[in-house]
Every structure is written in structure tokens, then in C-alpha cells.
Amino acid sequence: MKEYDLIVIGAGSGGVRAARIAANYGAKVLIAEGLNYGGTCVNRGCVPKKLFTYAAQFNSDFDTAKSYGWEVPEQISFNWQTLIKNKDQEIERLNDIYKSILEKNKVDRIDGYASFKGSEIIQINDEIFKGKKILIASGGACNKPAYTAKDKVLTSDDIFHIKKLPKDICILGAGYIAVEFACIMNGLGVKTTLIYRGERILKSFDQDLTNLLEDEMIKKGINIKFNTNIEDITEANEGLEIKIQQGPSIKTACVLSALGRSPNVAQLNLDKIDILQKKNGAIIVDEFSKTNIDHIYAIGDVTDRINLTPVAIREGHAFADTEFGKIKRSASHKNIPSTVFTDPPLSTVGITTEEALKLGIKVKTFKTQFSPMKYTFADKKPKILMKLLVDEKTDKVLGIHMLGQDSPEIIQSLAVALTAGATKKDFDNTTAIHPTSSEEFVTLK
Ligand code: NDP
């Protein structure tokens, strides 16, 4: 039986970072991957999604170009196969980069799903390995309710590989994936309906922003059905039929289910070890990503803390520093910036108005709403909304929220200021770059 200092289960962003850093500290490391190197982010998440987002945005860019004098032919068309081919090539390139990072850092890799045979013993394919330490970084998997036509309902794993664009699509849910794909599909010319059981999209985000995003999505032609519960989805003549509790059923060519993701623990055989898990299967860990079993650790979506790639990477790095580099540290989960890549994108760092209320923190709110200069000549002018939440007592900026073009790039930079504890006065003392949208953040009154 081959023995390793560390066996990493899952070669997603977090697992690869942990494996590489541990190996750099001199550990003998094995990493197991059952599917594709790079995990969800590279293969079925952030990367292909962002490429699709760019593709979708061209649709309105053509109109804007016309307003600046460009002659755009009346008949423009979009070729889905070209996008898929180019996307697949890029992902293959990234898969190879991930593999070569592991090779360069002398991490052994094995293609196959890992499962526990004992607390130190892992089976991968027909081989058995012993790990002095084991890191579970197996990520998450899409939830899919047991509809009658379950096999015909797509998840975000499938949507990146469909052979042709449907003429219409119904998207279930109103979280990150649902709203992002509603904007992508609508931008690519697919008649799009979002079906949600609740009353507002992206309910954990600042409501001023989500209200405006909802308006912008509707203005772009997306149909949003709130307070709508689904009884079942069945096959119909040409596509699928969604049976709704509150009214007539909906016939559609295609359904994308985006009803959350769950920790990916199904194949790990965790029954063999007495590891503590939450109700949804998430592996319970302490701030150093250690489970209740001394030599077993877990990072990333499988722990269901903050399910974002950069967080998993930081957890993996901190784990390797602590366990193999004698630098005890944990990854901070405070003030994590994030973007929902809708059209326009919604980006945020720090607390929302609702959270400030819950925490009993009195905040002053500064906000502004306008149309970006780029749309000066255009008929359709998308809006920008910016919001700063400032602690009344200390003047510290506690929350920065923006809906609008370039918000991911702007909020990423402003997250540095918030992390460094900048006050409103620091923002006021910063000179604007004119004319930009982001200058509004330093001129808010
Ligand atoms: P989310 O948890 O964001 O949203 C799930 C949605 O499905 C919610 O609207 C939820 O409704 C609804 N829902 C859940 N269960 C049911 C049910 N049984 N019946 C009806 N509706 C239901 O999950 P996503 O799948 O969109 O994304 C998963 C995670 O992936 C995100 O939380 C995020 O961490 C990550 N992600 C990040 C991205 C980014 O950074 N840009 C992009 C994509 C994903 P309700 O609110 O009522 O519970």
C-alpha cells in the first residue's frame, strides 16, 4: 500500500492549492480527481459562465454601437456552436494548466473517485492508499427535485453542453445561478422565464440593488414569475410541461433547474468513519478546516461555509501553511466580496442594510442612481446604483454595494479599502477620476 503525507480528495481550485503548497513544504502528496481538473469553477461554473456572459452582452452592445454612428446590419446572428467550441478549447487549456501545476510541484495525481475504507485508508479505482493526513475538497453538486421528467430537466452542469439553443427556457429558482443564466439566455435571444417560489430575487443581497436588478431584467424582456410553486414537470409534445400550484401549467422547450447546490459527499463512503456532518451532508470543520477526526480536514463547498472559489483557495492555502508549513493561520470569512454576473452585474462587499439592522449597528446610507455616460445617445439606458453604508459612530465604511456596468472590477478594488478599515472621510479625501462611474463613490454626499 502506497503511503502519503497528504491525500487530497478533489482537484478543484481549493484542493489543487492545498496540494501544491503542502508539496512545496516537502510533503509527499497524492490528489484524486473523479471528473475534470479545476473542479466546478473551471469546468461547470465561474469560467464558462463568465465567457457566456460576455457572449450575451454583445446583444445590447450592437445597439449602443449604432448610437455612436456604427452601421450595424439589421440582421445580426449568433452561432452557439462557435461559442461552445471556443469555450471547450479554453477549458481544455485550463485543465492542462491545472495538471501541469500539480506535476511541476511533484504532486502525484490519480484519476478516479476516492472513498474511505478506514479513517486513514482511501480506495481510488482498485488501489488502496494510506494518508497520514486527508483533505476532503470534493466540492458541491446541483440539487434536482424528483420531477417526473427529471432526466429532461437541465442543471448548470448540463447547460454548458447543450447542442443547440432552445427557443425558450424556464429557469427555476432566484439565486446566483438562476438569475445569471436568465440574463445569459435572454441576451443570447432565448425567450426566458424565471420561476421562483419567493417574492424577490437574490434575497440575501441588498434589497435596493435587487429591486433595481429585477426592473432591469424585466426591461430587457425577462419574464419573472414570483410566488410560484411547482407541482411537477412532465414531458410534453415538444419539450416539457411545468405544473404550477397557483395557475395554468407552462409549456416550454427547456427547463434549467437552479435550486441550490449540496455538499458533494455521495461517493466518499463517510459511513466508514465517524465524521460529523450537518443535516445537508456538509462536513463540519473548525476555523482551521479540521474535522472532528484529528487527521482529516475539509475545505471549500463540501463544508458549506461560503461557497465561492476564492474562499476555497484561501482555506486550502491556510490549511497547507498550518499543517505543513508550521504557520498556523486560518482563512478569514469576513468581508468577502462577491458578484452576481447578471446584466448589469451586482457586486457587493461588507454588510447590507438588512444585516446592519439585525446587528443593531446604526448606519448612515449614501446612495446614488444614474445612467452610465456610455449610454448618453442610446434609447435604452441601463441604470447604475451605488450604495455606501457607514457606521454612524466610527465613520467606518461597513458595506459597499453596486449594481451596474463594471461593478465587479470597481468593488474588487474598493474591497481593499473596506478591508483596511477606510472611513467615509478617507473616501471623501480621495480625488475622483473624471469622467468615470466609480468617481461617484468618492463624491457621495
Ligand atoms: P442559491 O442557494 O444561490 O439559490 C437557490 C435558489 O433555489 C433560491 O432562489 C432558493 O429559494 C431556490 N430553491 C431552493 N430549493 C428550492 C425548492 N425546493 N423549491 C423551490 N425553490 C427552491 O443556489 P444556486 O444554485 O444559484 O448557487 C449555488 C451556490 O453557488 C451559490 O450560493 C454560490 O455560493 C455559488 N455560486 C456563485 C456564483 C458567483 O459567485 N457569481 C455563481 C453561481 C453560483 P429560496 O431563496 O426561497 O430558498
Side-chain angles (χ1 to χ4, degrees):
M1 190 192 313
K2 264 197 184 167
E3 194 173 317
Y4 284 89
D5 297 320
L6 173 66
I7 297 177
V8 179
I9 301 174
S13 310
V16 168
R17 174 62 67 90
R20 169 169 79 80
I21 302 299
N24 276 331
Y25 286 127
K28 190 176 170 210
V29 184
L30 172 71
I31 194 164
E33 173 53 57
L35 219 51
N36 318 97
Y37 285 76
T40 304
C41 172
V42 167
N43 297 282
R44 303 169 289 283
C46 328
V47 173
K49 182 274 309 290
K50 183 91 189 259
L51 295 170
F52 281 17
T53 302
Y54 285 130
Q57 280 166 1
F58 280 104
N59 198 339
S60 48
D61 284 350
F62 291 120
D63 275 344
T64 316
K66 277 190 216 163
S67 73
Y68 281 90
W70 286 95
E71 304 268 334
V72 180
E74 273 315 304
Q75 278 299 318
I76 47 165
S77 63
F78 167 70
N79 189 320
W80 173 253
Q81 278 74 25
T82 304
L83 175 63
I84 295 294
K85 188 178 102 233
N86 290 344
K87 180 265 298 176
D88 286 345
Q89 265 174 13
E90 172 59 7
I91 287 173
E92 253 176 59
R93 189 183 74 84
L94 295 174
N95 292 150
D96 289 344
I97 288 176
Y98 270 77
K99 286 184 199 163
S100 80
I101 287 173
L102 292 165
E103 270 153 34
K104 273 190 204 137
N105 288 280
K106 305 204 171 23
V107 174
D108 287 353
R109 35 178 198 94
I110 179 163
D111 295 347
Y113 285 102
S115 65
F116 282 90
K117 285 272 165 198
S119 80
E120 291 181 324
I121 310 297
I122 298 287
Q123 177 168 2
I124 307 161
N125 305 327
D126 293 331
E127 285 183 81
I128 302 285
F129 301 90
K130 185 170 179 188
K132 287 187 194 151
K133 289 190 165 105
I134 295 166
L135 177 68
I136 304 170
S138 50
C142 297
N143 298 338
K144 199 166 168 181
Y147 304 122
T148 305
K150 183 170 176 257
D151 295 340
K152 302 273 173 195
V153 171
L154 306 178
T155 66
S156 57
D157 290 350
D158 312 310
I159 192 93
F160 293 111
H161 302 287
I162 54 174
K163 295 275 174 280
K164 61 178 193 140
L165 272 182
K167 64 178 189 345
D168 63 84
I169 190 166
C170 284
I171 300 180
L172 316 183
Y176 277 85
I177 297 177
V179 293
E180 287 182 346
F181 268 96
C183 294
I184 289 169
M185 286 293 145
N186 184 63
L188 296 180
V190 180
K191 190 166 169 274
T192 302
T193 304
L194 195 74
I195 302 178
Y196 178 45
R197 64 180 173 187
E199 295 190 328
R200 57 174 279 224
I201 58 169
L202 298 170
K203 68 176 186 200
S204 63
F205 289 83
D206 186 281
Q207 190 159 5
D208 283 337
L209 274 80
T210 56
N211 285 348
L212 183 61
L213 174 60
E214 189 186 308
D215 291 349
E216 293 288 312
M217 286 170 69
I218 293 168
K219 264 196 327 206
K220 284 192 154 69
I222 298 171
N223 177 16
I224 308 183
K225 288 185 177 297
F226 289 110
N227 302 310
T228 305
N229 294 83
I230 293 167
E231 262 169 10
D232 196 12
I233 301 177
T234 54
E235 281 193 61
N237 277 349
E238 283 176 33
L240 294 162
E241 184 168 348
I242 305 173
K243 301 207 163 93
I244 307 281
Q245 269 175 22
Q246 288 83 357
S249 50
I250 302 171
K251 290 219 171 101
T252 178
C254 181
V255 176
L256 169 65
S257 165
L259 302 179
R261 292 170 60 83
S262 296
N264 188 15
V265 290
Q267 307 190 53
L268 294 173
N269 211 13
L270 292 179
D271 295 349
K272 281 270 174 228
I273 53 175
D274 281 328
I275 200 162
L276 292 178
Q277 290 171 267
K278 290 187 208 157
K279 253 199 192 145
N280 68 351
I283 295 173
I284 297 173
V285 289
D286 67 12
E287 62 173 311
F288 298 101
S289 299
K290 186 185 258 201
T291 69
N292 59 309
I293 302 169
D294 219 27
H295 61 281
I296 302 182
Y297 302 77
I299 55 157
D301 289 8
V302 77
T303 62
D304 197 21
R305 287 177 281 179
I306 296 178
N307 300 332
L308 297 172
T309 300
V311 177
I313 290 173
R314 290 167 74 89
E315 288 167 357
H317 203 131
F319 153 80
D321 280 351
T322 304
E323 295 303 321
F324 296 97
K326 297 196 178 78
I327 310 162
K328 188 169 180 176
R329 68 180 192 91
S330 59
S332 167
H333 289 143
K334 251 184 89 185
N335 292 329
I336 306 283
S338 84
T339 289
V340 190
F341 288 92
T342 37
D343 184 13
L346 186 157
S347 305
T348 177
V349 62
I351 61 170
T352 61
T353 308
E354 292 89 340
E355 281 162 352
L357 264 173
K358 267 192 217 149
L359 293 167
I361 303 173
K362 284 204 172 136
V363 288
K364 274 190 265 176
T365 303
F366 298 83
K367 58 178 173 177
T368 179
Q369 187 172 317
F370 58 98
S371 262
M373 191 173 172
K374 182 175 174 186
Y375 301 100
T376 303
F377 308 132
D379 296 333
K380 291 181 195 156
K381 298 183 198 289
K383 299 240 168 64
I384 283 184
L385 174 59
M386 289 171 169
K387 214 170 153 178
L388 270 191
L389 301 188
V390 178
D391 192 323
E392 264 190 29
K393 262 199 211 145
T394 61
D395 196 44
K396 270 197 181 161
V397 176
L398 300 180
I400 314 177
H401 309 280
M402 175 173 174
L403 177 80
Q405 206 174 45
D406 301 325
S407 70
E409 310 295 337
I410 294 169
I411 293 294
Q412 176 67 86
S413 306
L414 289 181
V416 179
L418 188 135
T419 305
T423 58
K424 176 69 170 67
K425 196 163 172 236
D426 293 323
F427 274 65
D428 295 343
N429 287 341
T430 304
T431 305
I433 300 176
H434 185 72
T436 60
S437 295
S438 53
E439 68 178 305
E440 295 288 326
F441 270 123
V442 295
T443 55
L444 280 168
K445 291 282 170 314

